[in-house]
Amino acid sequence: MDTGQTSYHEFDVASVRGAYTALGDGWTYLNAHEAPQLPERVISGVARAFRSSVALLDAPTGSHSAPATPGRLEAATHLAAARTAIADLVGGSAESVVLGPSLPALYQSVARSLGPLVRYSSSIVLSRLDDPLLTSALEGVDAEVRWAQPDLGTGELPAYQYDEIVDGSTRLVAFSAADDLLGTLAPVEDVVEKVRARSRAWTLIDVTALAPHQVIDIDALGADIVAVDLGRLGGPQMAALVFRDVAMFNRVDALHPAYSGPAASKLETPVSAGLAGAVSPLVDHLAAMVDSKGTRRQRLVTSMFATSDYLGDLADDLYTFMSTLPAVHILGVTGEAAAHASSERLPALTFAVRGVPAELVHQRLFDNGLVTTITPQTPLLQEMGIADLGGAVTVSLSPFNTHADVEHLVRVVASLA
C-alpha cells in the first residue's frame, strides 16, 4: 500500500512556522511536552465555534420552511466534526470515538464501565511509566492490579515482562506508547502480541506523546482502545478514546441510565461544543505540514511521515550534540546502565548538568531566550536518580523548531558545563 511517505527535505519549516502566530514574540519554544504552541487554525476554530454553537441549525428561511430537527443547535455539528477528525487522526471510525474533558476523566469512565468484563479474581495490568493521574483512575476497577516496570537504566518499558504478568484472568492492559520526558518509545506491537497470546484482555494505549510526531494507526498498533489528549497536540483542552470496534460498547456499562444503547455515548461526559469546534482545525493543521492531495486521512499520513522524518533528523542532532558535552547527563542515555538504550526516540530529552542545580540551568536557558521546563520529579525519575543530579531540565521539539534552535540550546548548555 502506498503510504504517501515524504522526505524531510520536502518539509518546509518556514511555512510551518507561519502557522503559529506566537512565534513572532522572539522566544525559542522547546517545551512541546508541557505547553505546545497553538496553531492559528485552532485559535480561529475555537472563536468561531463559541460564536456559533448556540445558533440554530437548519433555521427556517420562510413561512413555509421548517428545520429538519426543530431547535437543534450548531453545537451538534461541532461535536460530530470533532469525532470525525479524531477518527481521521488515528485511523478509526467516528462512531467509535468517545469525547471527554480530559484523559483522567475518560479513564475513570472506563474503570466505571468495565463491570461486565470483570469477574472474581480478575486482574488488570498498568505501567509504572505512565502518568499517576491515569493509573490512579484505572485502579478503581474491581480487580487485582499488576504492574509493568520500566528499566531504571534506560526508562524503557521491556516487553518480556508481559509474559509473566498477563494471564487468563487479565481483563485490561493499559500503557503509554511513549514517554514525553525521557523520549522513550514503548514496544507497542510486541506487548500487544504477548497480551493477545495469553489472554482476552483489552489493550488501552495512550498515544498522546506519539501523535505529534508519528502517524497513528489503531489497526497497525493492534490496540483495542487508543487514548489521546488533544491539548497536548496543540489543540483544545479535551481528550478522546477511540475503540477498535463499535461492538465493544455492548460489553460495557453505561455511565448514565439514559445511554444504554451500543454507542459511544455510553461512556461520554459533557464537553464544550466551543472547544470541540477546534478539533477539526487541529487535524487539518497536522494534515497540512506538507502539500499533498487526497482525503484528510491520506493527507495526514503524508504530512506526518514528513514531520516524523524532519523531527527525527532534529532529534539526532539534539542527542548527538548534547551527548558531546562531558558535564551533561541525559537520563536514560548517559551511563553504563543505559548502554543498551534504544536509539529510536522522540525529539525530547531530560538532562542535568553535573554540579549545576536545575533551576540555574533553566534560568540560564530562559535568559538566552530558550523556553524549557524544570522536570517534575516523578516516581520513575526519582528512582533513576534525578534528585542526586540536583534536578533536571526537559527539552522537547516541535515541527516549527529548526537546527539553529538545537545549536543555540547546545551553546548555552555548553557555557554551563
Side-chain angles (χ1 to χ4, degrees), residues 113-131:
S113 71
L114 286 181
L117 296 179
V118 177
R119 299 292 183 265
Y120 176 73
S121 73
S122 294
S123 65
I124 65 171
V125 176
L126 308 179
S127 167
R128 293 288 187 194
L129 193 57
D130 290 1
D131 186 338

Side-chain angles (χ1 to χ4, degrees), residues 248-284:
M248 294 171 65
F249 295 117
N250 288 324
R251 304 186 61 193
V252 298
D253 286 334
L255 300 183
H256 190 282
Y259 304 112
S260 57
S265 58
K266 292 175 72 173
L267 298 180
E268 284 193 344
T269 52
V271 296
S272 164
L275 293 179
V279 176
S280 190
L282 169 66
V283 178
D284 288 340

Side-chain angles (χ1 to χ4, degrees), residues 27-108:
W27 295 96
T28 298
Y29 291 98
L30 304 175
N31 61 339
H33 63 287
E34 182 179 73
Q37 293 298 302
L38 301 181
E40 180 57 34
R41 286 191 191 207
V42 170
I43 297 170
S44 300
V46 168
R48 286 194 302 270
F50 271 107
R51 282 197 300 267
S52 65
S53 60
V54 293
L56 284 176
L57 183 66
D58 296 322
T61 56
S63 59
H64 298 289
S65 62
T69 305
R72 190 171 181 229
L73 299 180
E74 190 74 29
T77 66
H78 299 325
L79 295 169
R83 293 187 180 92
T84 300
I86 293 164
D88 286 344
L89 179 66
V90 305
S93 67
E95 295 77 15
S96 296
V97 174
V98 179
L99 301 177
S102 68
L103 275 193
L106 285 171
Y107 274 44
Q108 287 175 348

Side-chain angles (χ1 to χ4, degrees), residues 184-201:
T184 54
L185 303 178
V188 175
E189 292 85 354
D190 289 345
V191 173
V192 170
E193 183 179 349
K194 292 179 182 298
V195 172
R196 294 280 181 269
R198 300 182 61 80
S199 75
R200 299 177 64 185

